[in-house]
Amino acid sequence: MPEPPYPELKDLHLFADIADEHFAALMRGAYVQNFPPQIELISEGDPSDFLHVVLSGTVELFSAWNGRETTMATVRPVSTFILAASVRDAPYLMSARTLEKSRIVLIPSEDMRAVFDVDNAFSRAIVAELAQCYRTVVKVQKNLKLRTSIERLANYLLRQSARVGKADEFELSYDKRRLARFLGMTPENLSRSFKTLQSYGVLVNGSRIAITDRDDLERLAKPSPLIDDYTT
Amino acid sequence: MPEPPYPELKDLHLFADIADEHFAALMRGAYVQNFPPQIELISEGDPSDFLHVVLSGTVELFSAWNGRETTMATVRPVSTFILAASVRDAPYLMSARTLEKSRIVLIPSEDMRAVFDVDNAFSRAIVAELAQCYRTVVKVQKNLKLRTSIERLANYLLRQSARVGKADEFELSYDKRRLARFLGMTPENLSRSFKTLQSYGVLVNGSRIAITDRDDLERLAKPSPLIDDYTT
DNA sequence: CGCTATGTTGATCCATATCAATAAGTGTGG
DNA sequence: CCACACTTATTGATATGGATCAACATAGCG
């Protein structure tokens, strides 16, 4: 296990200002692993032994209860997940599975907490990251409680469009089945919602989306920075 | 404005280990205020000028969009709210109003961030607090996406019972109208849900709840520590 | 005491889930 | 390269959870 320092990790603001020696200490216990698609990396309820960082690929965070399952979030490179469980040394609240072939760094939570105790730049970075995560979940919750499924879909499309530079045409970044669960609806309903949106300036062709009348779509979606802007 | 150090604040783990001088610095700019019920303390979208701490009373966090409104959380003494917005210097995502006569400490966010930069015990405490908040919202989201409204109510009753020492009889801690919105349903529906729960060992008399058959209620509610335990 | 809030109940409507059938890909092995 | 299985997407029919609307009851409260 000869471990290079994974230069990608330094791209994360989480590790940007950490002291070199502390970063090295973290890397000593860390290892990288390649996973095929559809591998369950962690299960909710398990002890949080590792902080995970996605270097490439996609990871889905999901939860189940009483036979039902729902998608909570999707993690794309380069970002961490289950940071909160790691810092609190508490069980994972969500399960994680790879959606595609993925490269994941595993950093022992214990090491992370040790460095967090001595490196103040690191602990401040964790604060920033956690505050960001928190605000994102709050936005997701507002989205769920205040909007109908069609409104959620309309806003999702506008957000995706914004992610690719306000382009009017783009590909859905994952399959409709998962998109449906993420938006809190069934796949069947997502299909129908797409149809409904045709009258509001949205063209769908497989996973290719074209926004033909942005004003119309926005009139329906009524996007709000306090719900749809995941950057602040 | 002669400011005593509000000894209650030291009860908060957030301020437990902070250096005395830094705590004093925070208190210099802070002030306490008494509010009558139904006062809107902050509005979503406003800049986060103050970190708020509830000393007594109750505060409701709520959000609105497109004419709809929903309760996001209820804050009881002694706890902070809108910490995430304060540390990120970002707009509030939720509005807050007093539900009863309340005593609130207001700490300038700027001061808070300044102390947070120099006091590592404080920044670590913020990490713990934010991680806790994050995990709570995730649980709320799982509750919303994975359960029907009756299941949410059943679990809410079990949680309330647990809060008062597993007692089989207790008072609802706020009015049914708000409880309904908090659980993501309408007041009318809450009424009917209570009726449904009568067949599962729940007696309702005004705001007084009696659990007459806990096993039966738990069979319906299927409580899970990964959703219903707000302490971990 | 009325007045106004809040809570309950009933009737109806609507959004969304479920069930079922079909279609369209997608990948595998012969 | 095609046949086959298998998954994913769509469409229709129906069921149901929950919302809405309306009427009424009840309870605080000045």
Side-chain angles (χ1 to χ4, degrees), chain B residues 45-91:
Chain B
D46 284 358
S48 54
D49 296 328
F50 296 96
L51 173 65
H52 291 59
V53 186
V54 188
L55 292 184
S56 68
T58 318
V59 172
E60 175 186 23
L61 300 182
F62 65 100
S63 277
W65 178 81
N66 195 26
R68 298 166 212 162
E69 181 185 310
T70 189
T71 299
M72 301 288 287
T74 310
V75 189
R76 293 174 197 291
V78 178
S79 24
T80 63
F81 58 94
I82 47 108
L83 177 58
S86 278
V87 304
R88 285 202 78 89
D89 196 10

Side-chain angles (χ1 to χ4, degrees), chain A residues 44 65 68 70-71 88 91 93 117 120 124 128 134-135 137 141-142 145-146 151 182 221-222, chain B residues 44 65 68 70-71 88 91 93 117 120 124 128 132 134-135 137 141-142 145-146 151 182 221-222:
Chain A
E44 51 181 324
W65 177 81
R68 299 165 211 162
T70 189
T71 299
R88 284 202 80 88
L93 294 179
D117 278 336
N120 305 311
R124 284 197 290 279
Y134 174 76
R135 287 171 63 84
V137 192
Q141 195 187 324
K142 289 169 68 174
K145 285 183 92 173
L146 292 169
E151 288 164 347
F182 175 66
K222 297 187 179 61
Chain B
E44 53 182 322
W65 178 81
R68 298 166 212 162
T70 189
T71 299
R88 285 202 78 89
L93 294 179
D117 278 337
N120 304 310
R124 284 197 290 279
Q132 169 82 36
Y134 174 77
R135 286 172 64 86
V137 192
Q141 195 187 324
K142 288 169 69 174
K145 286 184 91 173
L146 292 169
E151 289 165 345
F182 174 65
K222 298 188 180 61

Side-chain angles (χ1 to χ4, degrees), chain A residues 104-214:
Chain A
I104 315 265
V105 182
L106 298 140
I107 303 172
S109 299
E110 220 171 317
D111 298 357
M112 202 270 297
R113 285 192 298 272
V115 170
F116 150 78
D117 278 336
V118 295
D119 189 309
N120 305 311
F122 185 51
S123 70
R124 284 197 290 279
I126 292 184
V127 166
E129 176 94 358
L130 279 176
Q132 169 81 37
C133 290
Y134 174 76
R135 287 171 63 84
T136 301
V137 192
V138 168
K139 285 169 191 163
V140 169
Q141 195 187 324
K142 289 169 68 174
N143 194 32
L144 274 173
K145 285 183 92 173
L146 292 169
R147 288 175 173 160
T148 66
S149 58
I150 290 182
E151 288 164 347
R152 292 198 294 275
L153 176 59
N155 279 291
Y156 176 83
L157 294 179
L158 288 172
R159 287 200 303 269
Q160 285 302 106
S161 159
R163 285 215 324 171
V164 292
K166 286 266 177 197
D168 284 337
E169 264 194 79
F170 56 90
E171 295 276 332
L172 291 177
S173 48
Y174 44 46
D175 61 291
K176 293 183 176 170
R177 182 166 277 261
R178 225 167 298 275
L179 175 58
R181 293 301 173 193
F182 175 66
L183 292 175
M185 57 174 116
T186 55
E188 293 96 321
N189 236 301
L190 178 63
S191 248
R192 289 183 244 273
S193 297
F194 270 127
K195 277 201 132 181
T196 307
L197 287 187
Q198 281 176 14
S199 357
Y200 293 90
V202 175
L203 265 176
V204 185
N205 195 324
S207 68
R208 182 132 208 101
I209 306 292
I211 296 176
T212 57
D213 186 340
R214 182 175 294 264

Side-chain angles (χ1 to χ4, degrees), chain B residues 117-132:
Chain B
D117 278 337
V118 295
D119 189 308
N120 304 310
F122 185 52
S123 70
R124 284 197 290 279
I126 292 184
V127 165
E129 175 94 358
L130 280 176
Q132 169 82 36

